[in-house]
Amino acid sequence: MESQLSTINQMFLIGSTGRNSGKTTLATALIEKFKKEFLIIALKITTIEHKDGKCPRGGDGCGVCTNIQDNFELIEEVSTSSNKDTSLLLKAGAEKVYWLKCLQSHLDEGMEYFMSVIPKNSLIICESNSLRNIIVPGSFVMIKNVGNNIAKKSASAVISKADFILENDFSNSIGDFVDKVVVDKENMNIKINSAM
């Protein structure tokens, strides 16, 4: 089955076992590390099971995801002045930042569209668990919040595919990890250097 998946070597995919685990902190640190060498596009993905369904985070939610009109919606972030994750990614130095809101059943369609609108030589930093079901990135790291042992369903489905599981204790584990990330400039392949 793995061989049937699309490969995106220039993507660093960040998943997490739960909310507030450090995905955006890791993404912004990677952007800051590589922004002078590469054109970086950041992507945050929110998958939705059904139109007008429940908030993926539980509860009533804010309504942003549940009002999706089509099978997917790609929104470009243009503000660096809010505390939204996408705004923080743009502020960190990404060339462009997108939020892909997508029905789970149309994630491949949404990704195909995203890949068609970005420059081919981009380094992609992406936050998503579900995306690992349909693509093979250059590297996939799963962040585990050491203070919370309950994993989201989307994380449990892909954690076995992680190239690295980062146990975030909110000291300097993310900073230490970022030092291990390298990019092969020749083929834009982003990897974790375990020898470091």
Side-chain angles (χ1 to χ4, degrees):
M1 167 117 183
E2 190 84 341
S3 61
Q4 303 298 312
L5 303 182
S6 299
T7 299
I8 305 176
N9 284 328
Q10 76 269 32
M11 177 183 283
F12 194 92
L13 183 60
I14 305 166
S16 71
T17 55
R19 291 181 64 199
N20 302 318
S21 297
K23 286 195 309 289
T24 303
T25 302
L26 175 55
T28 55
L30 288 169
I31 291 166
E32 285 164 1
K33 177 176 179 173
F34 292 114
K35 67 184 176 184
K36 289 180 181 164
E37 295 177 77
F38 302 99
L39 184 135
I40 299 177
I41 305 294
L43 175 64
K44 183 177 177 68
I45 297 176
T46 302
T47 53
I48 305 152
E49 288 200 27
H50 310 285
K51 284 185 186 176
D52 303 319
K54 292 180 182 174
C55 172
R57 292 181 167 184
D60 293 335
C62 64
V64 172
C65 296
T66 52
N67 69 5
I68 189 169
Q69 300 298 311
D70 296 308
N71 294 328
F72 67 88
E73 189 177 347
L74 187 67
I75 302 159
E76 184 178 351
E77 179 60 76
V78 293
S79 170
T80 57
S81 59
S82 85
N83 282 328
K84 292 187 305 178
D85 292 348
T86 49
S87 188
L88 295 172
L89 296 169
L90 191 61
K91 192 175 183 177
E95 185 74 20
K96 288 187 180 290
V97 178
Y98 295 95
W99 180 24
L100 178 62
K101 297 189 296 180
C102 193
L103 290 176
Q104 184 79 50
S105 56
H106 291 268
L107 184 53
D108 52 350
E109 191 183 330
M111 269 310 289
E112 204 172 299
Y113 179 72
F114 165 76
M115 292 301 290
S116 75
V117 299
I118 66 166
K120 298 284 181 252
N121 63 338
S122 312
L123 197 62
I124 305 163
I125 308 291
C126 179
E127 295 181 26
S128 175
N129 286 334
S130 302
L131 186 59
R132 186 58 186 85
N133 289 312
I134 67 161
I135 68 115
V136 178
S139 288
F140 173 44
V141 63
M142 178 66 73
I143 304 179
K144 284 177 79 173
N145 178 341
V146 295
N148 182 358
N149 288 324
I150 301 166
K152 294 188 289 187
K153 190 169 83 171
S154 63
S156 298
V158 295
I159 195 166
S160 65
K161 298 176 182 179
D163 298 300
F164 193 93
I165 296 173
L166 174 59
E167 297 201 355
N168 190 7
D169 58 6
F170 299 93
S171 59
N172 196 34
S173 48
I174 285 180
D176 293 340
F177 175 76
V178 168
D179 291 339
K180 298 177 181 178
V181 181
V182 293
V183 179
D184 180 341
K185 291 183 181 177
E186 199 171 307
N187 62 15
M188 291 294 289
N189 199 347
I190 187 162
K191 290 287 180 195
I192 302 157
N193 187 346
S194 55
M196 292 179 75

